[in-house]
Amino acid sequence: MHLKLKLSSSSSPSNFSLYSPAQNPSSSKFSFKVPIVPLHSSLSPLTLPPCASKDSSSPLLEQKPHSSGFGSEPQSPPEVLTVRRPMKEYSGDDDESSDGDDVDEDTFSSSPIDAGLAEFAKKLPMFEPQRAELSSEERPLLVNLDLALYRAKVLARNYQFEEAEKILQKCIYYWPEDGRPYVALGKILSKQSKTSEARAVYEKGCQATQGENPYIWQCWAVLENKMGNIRRARDLFDAATVADKRHVAAWHGWAVLELKQGNIKKARHLLAKGLKYGGGNEYIYQTLALLEAKANRHEQARYLFKQATKCNSKSCASWLAWAQLEMQQENNHTARQLFEKAVQASPKNRFAWHVWGVFEANLGNADVGRKLLKIGHAVNRRDPVLLQSLALLEYKYSTANLSRVLFRRASELDPRHQPVWIAWGWMEWKEGNIATAREMYQRALSIDSTTESAARCLQAWGVLEERAGNLSAARRLFRSSLNINSQSYITWMTWASFEENQGNAVRAEEIRDLYFQQRTEVVDDASWVMGFLDIIDPALDSIKRLLNLDQNSYYRIPDSSRNIPGANEDSSGPGPGPSSGNPDSNDTASENGFNLDAFIREKLSLDPSNLDVQMQTHETTVPRRVKLPRRIKRLENTQSRTTTAVTQSRV
């Protein structure tokens, strides 16, 4: 039963009569006094509903004229505050016509204080509902951001940078507080060498996220580091760690920067902080292991590599770096096991197949090395390095013509890859084609004359001119190489040997003295090890026993393959260590229980017996399918002239 309160004829607002809407108000049987508090003094502004007016400056409360009874339209006195209902929830006419049981608005007299509050409320806009509605309608769902980011990533892989940039700009417009579009757009601009635009994007992203996104700071720092702004890069890495001290990539990137600057102790300190705040991380363990290997602390390096592979058993880089350590120690059996782990972790990794193939070729297993390089090329068709190594292998064990075919193919895949041209020039020099070798060296230098590859090219060219009898040109080339890389021991000693061969013993001694005077020697101590092990594991005594730090005998390794997880599960005895290993061991991969042919059939869908056919098919079809730019076309014309000259010289 709906009840309504009716204001009595008495002048006092506290006299009310209770009546039923089904009865006549004049025939009400219940009449009593109810003491109440005025409405405007009991309601807080926080409990009022939002304003329904389209004008955002409209007050929540307004004045209405006075009404004398319920029969006519209710009117308020001139200074009474009434609550306005939101238009969105109640439509006015529909509510009045459909619901006849609505409660009428009671009116009361107000005081001067209430009138002042009413005037103040008129000038106080609470919110703007129209603006909020527009933003909620126009903004897409968050799932569209993930789809757009993936679409931009696919377009960037296909070198469709303009379309990817448009998509990312839309993402930034709709989701300015999300840091992922800024990172993706900055990386795309960096790939196009648009460093100023990339820097502007990162700066805008840091402002939009209020400096709380460490990924933007870190990408910005990497960009500044590539541009040579070392101090600025340090500040940005520091900002990334302040934004999130658990962001391991920032600690690792900062440490790598310090390593390149020769600050070994600072780099170790940063890596230790990364482990402390971010926990175990494969990249930090791997970098620390490489530092230990460089300092000839091989047992610590093996322990750190083991920790890296424990953090991520699918980390091909960790297995590969560990294998290279064993290669240097001539632990061929252990290195081969680690190479198997690397390709199993990442079957399409081009570095794993390349390094493993070169390793087998250096041991004299030419067939195994050739097979591994061909497998790597079959799953990485656009990589010129694999073809370059395969060309050198064919030149050593096969014919120069086959090597030229592979070099030409590699140069077509990436005309700006300097090592391909340098290796091709070296091969032509060995074949006696001096003019062709000079042309290859010139092409390598025309790409970039300031890199370390350019320094090696100048040194090789200097040796060529020395053998050809152009002594002054050889000296100029050696000097130019050292201007690029003054720390190259090979170039200094080659130049000194050249002067000795010319009878200038005094000049040769001066060159050797200059090398020892200007070289930068980085001194690394082992004092950090004890403090660092406290971070890795509180059980310091057990780690001391593991690394044999108490006896200071960590150079003795009873069995290096024992540290490889799962390496000795099916073996009857321990593998050879450095003290018992055979450097000339030609063990094949099948002796370790790893079937290479079955692996590539299952994981890569390759037929081991048709690798040569697949390479020949690819060589005849890909150049027609790939659209080459004008620069490559000019190189092809030059290469045709080079082939003619080579043929004439061999005839």
Side-chain angles (χ1 to χ4, degrees):
M1 179 178 180
H2 298 281
L3 300 178
K4 292 189 177 181
L5 294 176
K6 181 179 179 183
L7 185 65
S8 67
S9 60
S10 176
S11 60
S12 174
S14 62
N15 294 329
F16 286 85
S17 62
L18 187 65
Y19 79 99
S20 171
Q23 299 176 354
N24 193 327
S26 62
S27 63
S28 175
K29 298 180 181 181
F30 303 98
S31 179
F32 54 91
K33 297 181 179 180
V34 180
I36 66 170
V37 182
L39 179 63
H40 54 77
S41 63
S42 62
L43 288 178
S44 172
L46 298 177
T47 62
L48 298 177
C51 179
S53 176
K54 294 183 179 180
D55 187 4
S56 61
S57 62
S58 299
L60 295 175
L61 307 174
E62 69 176 11
Q63 301 173 357
K64 289 187 178 181
H66 178 67
S67 176
S68 60
F70 288 94
S72 60
E73 288 292 328
Q75 296 180 351
S76 303
E79 298 181 351
V80 171
L81 302 178
T82 59
V83 178
R84 186 114 67 91
R85 297 177 180 177
M87 185 180 297
K88 184 176 181 181
E89 298 180 4
Y90 301 94
S91 59
D93 297 338
D94 296 339
D95 295 340
E96 291 178 1
S97 60
S98 60
D99 189 5
D101 299 335
D102 288 346
V103 180
D104 296 336
E105 295 181 355
D106 298 320
T107 57
F108 310 99
S109 61
S110 61
S111 63
I113 298 177
D114 297 329
L117 291 175
E119 295 295 331
F120 177 75
K122 291 181 180 181
K123 303 177 182 179
L124 185 63
M126 298 300 294
F127 66 97
E128 298 180 3
Q130 191 172 13
R131 179 181 176 184
E133 290 174 1
L134 289 176
S135 62
S136 62
E137 292 177 358
E138 292 182 357
R139 188 167 183 171
L141 296 176
L142 187 60
V143 67
N144 293 283
L145 174 60
D146 300 329
L147 296 175
L149 291 174
Y150 178 76
R151 176 62 178 167
K153 182 179 179 180
V154 173
L155 291 173
R157 284 180 180 176
N158 297 327
Y159 301 98
Q160 301 178 11
F161 296 122
E162 294 183 2
E163 292 82 354
E165 290 176 14
K166 291 179 182 179
I167 293 176
L168 293 174
Q169 290 289 359
K170 289 184 179 180
C171 293
I172 292 174
Y173 174 76
Y174 287 116
W175 297 278
E177 73 282 355
D178 198 297
R180 291 176 293 173
Y182 301 99
V183 173
L185 182 57
K187 289 182 177 180
I188 290 176
L189 293 172
S190 299
K191 288 181 180 180
Q192 304 176 73
S193 300
K194 299 179 180 179
T195 54
S196 58
E197 292 88 342
R199 185 189 288 114
V201 168
Y202 290 141
E203 185 175 1
K204 180 181 177 182
C206 291
Q207 293 175 358
T209 58
Q210 301 179 358
E212 297 180 354
N213 192 303
Y215 297 93
I216 303 177
W217 290 114
Q218 184 232 341
C219 292
W220 191 0
V222 172
L223 176 65
E224 297 293 342
N225 186 22
K226 290 181 179 179
M227 298 175 62
N229 303 326
I230 304 301
R231 182 177 299 179
R232 180 64 171 163
R234 285 193 180 102
D235 295 338
L236 294 171
F237 276 126
D238 190 14
T241 57
V242 171
D244 186 3
K245 64 181 180 180
R246 296 173 297 178
H247 189 61
V248 179
W251 294 110
H252 183 263
W254 194 356
V256 172
L257 182 147
E258 298 297 342
L259 285 176
K260 292 182 179 180
Q261 298 300 314
N263 303 325
I264 305 296
K265 187 175 293 187
K266 177 67 174 177
R268 292 187 185 278
H269 179 68
L270 294 171
L271 293 172
K273 278 192 172 182
L275 285 178
K276 179 180 179 181
Y277 296 122
N281 182 269
E282 54 181 297
Y283 298 103
I284 293 184
Y285 281 128
Q286 178 185 339
T287 304
L288 286 170
L290 293 175
L291 286 175
E292 294 303 300
K294 188 176 181 180
N296 294 325
R297 292 190 285 267
H298 303 109
E299 185 63 17
Q300 284 97 327
R302 289 185 176 91
Y303 171 76
L304 293 170
F305 277 130
K306 185 178 180 180
Q307 295 299 318
T309 54
K310 278 186 177 180
C311 291
N312 184 10
S313 61
K314 297 297 183 180
S315 175
C316 180
S318 300
W319 293 112
L320 197 57
W322 192 356
Q324 290 176 318
L325 170 65
E326 302 299 341
M327 283 172 53
Q328 295 174 359
Q329 298 300 307
E330 298 182 348
N331 302 327
N332 300 329
H333 180 74
T334 303
R336 190 173 287 112
Q337 289 179 330
L338 294 169
F339 281 126
E340 294 169 5
K341 293 284 186 179
V343 296
Q344 290 175 16
S346 180
K348 294 186 178 181
N349 189 285
R350 57 192 178 101
F351 300 103
W353 294 108
H354 176 251
V355 180
W356 190 6
V358 173
F359 165 73
E360 296 292 349
N362 291 335
L363 292 180
N365 303 326
D367 294 336
V368 178
R370 185 184 292 109
K371 183 177 182 179
L372 294 171
L373 292 174
K374 288 180 179 179
I375 294 172
H377 174 67
V379 295
N380 297 277
R381 299 288 191 180
R382 304 296 303 172
D383 183 35
V385 180
L386 289 163
L387 285 177
Q388 172 194 335
S389 299
L390 187 58
L392 293 174
L393 180 64
E394 296 295 347
Y395 175 70
K396 183 177 180 180
Y397 294 99
S398 183
T399 62
N401 289 331
L402 180 57
S403 179
R404 287 189 185 95
V405 172
L406 295 172
F407 275 128
R408 184 177 296 109
R409 176 63 188 144
S411 64
E412 290 174 355
L413 291 176
D414 189 1
R416 297 189 61 82
H417 189 68
Q418 288 179 303
V420 170
W421 299 106
I422 298 171
W424 194 354
W426 176 85
M427 190 270 292
E428 296 294 348
W429 170 57
K430 288 292 186 180
E431 287 295 301
N433 304 319
I434 305 300
T436 306
R438 288 194 183 103
E439 185 179 355
M440 298 302 171
Y441 290 148
Q442 287 176 357
R443 290 188 183 181
L445 293 175
S446 65
I447 298 171
D448 193 349
S449 60
T450 60
T451 61
E452 293 186 3
S453 296
R456 290 191 293 269
C457 179
L458 290 168
Q459 187 264 340
W461 197 352
V463 174
L464 182 149
E465 297 298 341
E466 175 190 357
R467 303 290 175 84
N470 302 324
L471 305 183
S472 60
R475 289 189 177 93
R476 288 196 303 269
L477 291 169
F478 289 141
R479 189 179 295 108
S480 300
S481 177
L482 292 174
N483 288 335
I484 299 174
N485 183 13
S486 61
Q487 302 298 313
S488 176
Y489 173 81
I490 296 177
T491 305
W492 282 103
M493 296 301 108
T494 303
W495 190 5
S497 177
F498 164 73
E499 295 296 344
E500 279 186 345
N501 295 335
Q502 300 303 317
N504 301 327
V506 178
R507 179 58 177 164
E509 192 65 27
E510 290 177 355
I511 292 173
R512 293 188 181 94
D513 293 340
L514 283 174
Y515 165 72
F516 289 106
Q517 290 174 7
Q518 62 82 39
R519 69 172 180 171
T520 302
E521 183 176 0
V522 179
V523 179
D524 188 17
D525 57 356
S527 59
W528 71 278
V529 176
M530 303 305 296
F532 175 71
L533 292 179
D534 292 334
I535 301 172
I536 295 179
D537 193 342
L540 185 59
D541 294 335
S542 61
I543 297 178
K544 282 184 178 180
R545 290 192 299 268
L546 176 64
L547 301 182
N548 294 325
L549 292 178
D550 292 339
Q551 293 83 6
N552 198 15
S553 60
Y554 43 77
Y555 294 104
R556 295 179 299 171
I557 310 163
D559 181 14
S560 57
S561 64
R562 225 176 257 170
N563 294 327
I564 304 174
N568 298 323
E569 291 177 357
D570 299 329
S571 60
S572 58
S579 59
S580 60
N582 183 9
D584 301 326
S585 176
N586 294 332
D587 295 337
T588 59
S590 60
E591 295 181 2
N592 300 325
F594 177 72
N595 193 333
L596 181 61
D597 294 343
F599 176 77
I600 63 175
R601 283 195 189 96
E602 178 183 357
K603 299 295 184 180
L604 304 175
S605 300
L606 294 177
D607 187 0
S609 60
N610 295 331
L611 292 176
D612 294 333
V613 177
Q614 292 173 1
M615 282 194 61
Q616 293 174 2
T617 304
H618 179 69
E619 289 173 3
T620 56
T621 56
V622 170
R624 297 178 182 177
R625 185 172 64 250
V626 177
K627 185 178 180 180
L628 301 177
R630 295 179 180 178
R631 180 176 63 253
I632 303 179
K633 291 180 180 179
R634 290 196 298 268
L635 290 174
E636 286 181 344
N637 297 332
T638 309
Q639 289 169 5
S640 62
R641 294 193 299 269
T642 302
T643 305
T644 304
V646 170
T647 305
Q648 293 176 356
S649 63
R650 293 185 65 86
V651 171

